Amino acid sequence: MKILVVGSGGREHALCWKVAQSPLTTQLYAAPGNPGIAELAECIPWDGDVERLAEWAAAEEIELTLVGPEAPLVEGIADAFQARGLRIFGPTQKAAMIEGSKAYAKGLMERLGIPTARYRSFSDTLQALSYLEQVGAPIVVKDSSLAAGKGVTVASELSQARQAVLNILSGAERGEVVIEEYLEGPEVTVLALTDGFSVKPLLPLQDHKRLLDGDLGPMTGGMGAICPYPLAPGVLREVEERILRPLVDGLRAEGVVYKGVVYAGLMLTDDGPKVLEFNARFGDPECQAILPLLQTDLVELALAVVEGRLHELEPTWRPMASACVVMAAPGYPEAPHRGLPVRLPPHPPQGVLYFQAGTRRTPHGLVTQGGRVLNVVGLGKDLREALGRAYMGVEAVQFEHAVYRRDIGRRALV
């Protein structure tokens, strides 16, 4: 099969790495890809125009497309491909609204009885500020629209919350802000595949959103992940029955058949799991941590989703653990430095995978091109060994002033 992967980050490098292993793959393309992906696939220049990419895919007779990032999904890439009779793994524009609008997602959860934090949404600055005075801190303020994982402020002081509201609602475009109650507990991610009817939860993970050790510093797109996260018995089934299935069934009842990956970002509270956010695709860096453990052919799973026969397959897993450490450019997330040299070891240490993200190839080698530059994944018989290998992999990279956390997965080891 001729297969296309859409995107240019570490998640898409991991997707290409996994798709390339499938005996069903005869030709692999990526749009626009990155230097790491270019070693596995033919990279196609792409400016983000979903209709133009759909035209290209139709002309090239692409037989399956997998979409990594959220922006093209929210812009309707699945609709554009389906209109041309092309198979695409990823939800339609209406289905992707669970990520495209946090206010929509909260309203949906309210209608469907899915456990989540109490909230209010506002487009008016004065009303939002007045509500903050009523509820006080700690409080969570979210940009309702796409913000690449960085539109969330967990405010311990009212002054922080006020500033977050002003930042979101004072732009040229009229924004929307969601103000939520502050929840406490461990954070965990549960991804699931669905064809709109069957729901297959994958291994639980834990992402690390803050930039600095000890969960300090600004929110980022994610600085690392571990898989599997040790959930208490019965919790995964509870997530499936109280959150994932009601979401998929509820959307279908409203005329939206969701096909692709559902990402549930959860807080494990004393009252049980509650949804912090839904995303409409694989997480980044969760994808890089989970795919190396997946034994089942990803292309077969994607086809089963697209063709509405996911009930025929059960994902199987390698009996191992993985840990992903993100190496970011200095200045990330506000103003990452570009053009800094990055040198990977000619032979990765045992049990280590490198997935490139914000890199660019020059005549002199790789340089930084974005904020999150490299994903270093360690694999081991257990989490301790996986983390040891991941950090060994980090040490083997020549990347001066790289920003990375040294405490990924530490809480799960206790």
Side-chain angles (χ1 to χ4, degrees):
M1 294 178 67
K2 295 171 81 170
I3 299 178
L4 168 67
V5 172
V6 178
S8 63
R11 165 182 48 213
E12 290 75 38
H13 190 176
L15 285 168
C16 286
W17 172 81
K18 193 68 179 173
V19 168
Q21 295 169 24
S22 171
L24 297 172
T25 305
T26 54
Q27 209 164 349
L28 181 56
Y29 299 89
N34 66 35
I37 291 172
E39 295 172 12
L40 300 165
E42 183 179 339
C43 291
I44 307 301
W46 183 50
D47 61 1
D49 185 318
V50 298
E51 292 289 340
R52 194 174 302 162
L53 188 62
E55 285 294 329
W56 175 87
E60 287 292 326
E61 299 180 332
I62 298 296
E63 293 161 276
L64 177 66
T65 298
L66 294 89
V67 185
E70 60 275 18
L73 290 168
V74 171
E75 286 168 25
I77 190 170
D79 309 71
F81 273 62
Q82 288 169 9
R84 292 163 175 83
L86 298 169
R87 292 185 291 199
I88 184 163
F89 177 81
T92 59
Q93 188 172 36
K94 275 187 178 177
M97 280 294 285
I98 63 165
E99 180 167 8
S101 168
K102 293 182 180 67
Y104 165 79
K106 294 294 283 191
L108 182 68
M109 285 185 263
E110 201 169 41
R111 291 198 301 279
L112 300 177
I114 293 173
T116 187
R118 292 190 302 272
Y119 81 103
R120 291 277 302 278
S121 56
F122 300 91
S123 296
D124 183 274
T125 306
L126 291 178
Q127 288 179 7
L129 293 174
S130 171
Y131 180 69
L132 281 180
E133 297 300 326
Q134 291 174 41
V135 294
I139 195 78
V140 180
V141 179
K142 296 180 176 180
D143 188 337
S144 180
S145 61
L146 294 181
K150 291 171 274 194
V152 177
T153 300
V154 180
S156 53
E157 306 285 340
L158 265 183
S159 56
Q160 282 177 283
R162 289 191 203 100
Q163 189 57 55
V165 165
L166 292 172
N167 290 348
I168 293 164
L169 295 183
S170 63
E173 294 181 17
R174 192 169 174 80
E176 189 171 18
V177 66
V178 172
I179 300 175
E180 287 185 354
E181 73 170 315
Y182 173 75
L183 298 177
E184 287 191 89
E187 238 180 279
V188 64
T189 302
V190 176
L191 302 166
L193 300 178
T194 180
D195 58 6
F197 294 86
S198 296
V199 177
K200 304 281 185 179
L202 307 181
L203 295 177
L205 305 103
Q206 187 171 62
D207 185 15
H208 298 63
K209 287 287 187 194
R210 298 279 194 171
L211 181 70
L212 304 174
D213 288 4
D215 287 327
L216 301 174
M219 285 289 192
T220 71
M223 294 301 293
I226 57 167
C227 184
Y229 178 78
L231 280 181
V235 173
L236 192 59
R237 180 170 292 279
E238 186 181 356
V239 170
E240 180 181 353
E241 292 176 353
R242 296 188 61 209
I243 293 169
L244 296 171
R245 287 191 182 280
L247 174 73
V248 171
D249 292 346
L251 282 170
R252 193 176 68 250
E254 296 187 4
V256 179
V257 178
Y258 190 112
K259 293 188 175 190
V261 180
V262 175
Y263 171 120
L266 308 168
M267 188 73 85
L268 303 180
T269 73
D270 290 341
D271 299 324
K274 293 190 178 183
V275 177
L276 296 172
E277 64 175 353
F278 281 127
N279 291 334
R281 36 72 192 184
F282 279 112
D284 182 348
E286 290 98 334
C287 185
Q288 295 89 302
I290 201 169
L291 285 187
L293 301 184
L294 179 64
Q295 212 159 25
T296 314
D297 186 329
L298 180 61
V299 175
E300 285 189 6
L301 283 170
L303 285 171
V305 165
V306 172
E307 294 168 0
R309 48 179 184 83
L310 186 58
H311 62 278
E312 295 176 4
L313 289 180
E314 200 62 50
T316 57
W317 303 95
R318 298 169 69 191
M320 301 178 75
S322 71
C324 175
V325 178
V326 172
M327 300 182 75
Y332 177 75
E334 286 85 9
H337 294 205
R338 296 183 175 221
L340 303 176
V342 179
R343 292 186 181 85
L344 300 179
H347 303 289
Q350 182 187 355
V352 173
L353 298 167
Y354 292 109
F355 295 123
Q356 293 182 40
T359 59
R360 178 169 59 88
R361 189 164 294 288
T362 72
H364 305 292
L366 284 181
V367 297
T368 59
Q369 178 67 10
R372 293 185 296 170
V373 176
L374 198 61
N375 303 273
V376 186
V377 177
L379 302 172
K381 64 180 183 294
D382 54 26
L383 181 57
R384 193 173 297 278
E385 185 173 76
L387 283 164
R389 286 179 171 171
Y391 282 107
M392 194 187 309
V394 167
E395 292 300 320
V397 177
Q398 294 179 45
F399 179 7
E400 280 192 39
H401 309 299
V403 177
Y404 63 92
R405 285 182 57 162
R406 290 158 177 80
D407 66 344
I408 299 299
R410 188 171 294 167
R411 281 168 305 181
L413 288 176
V414 176

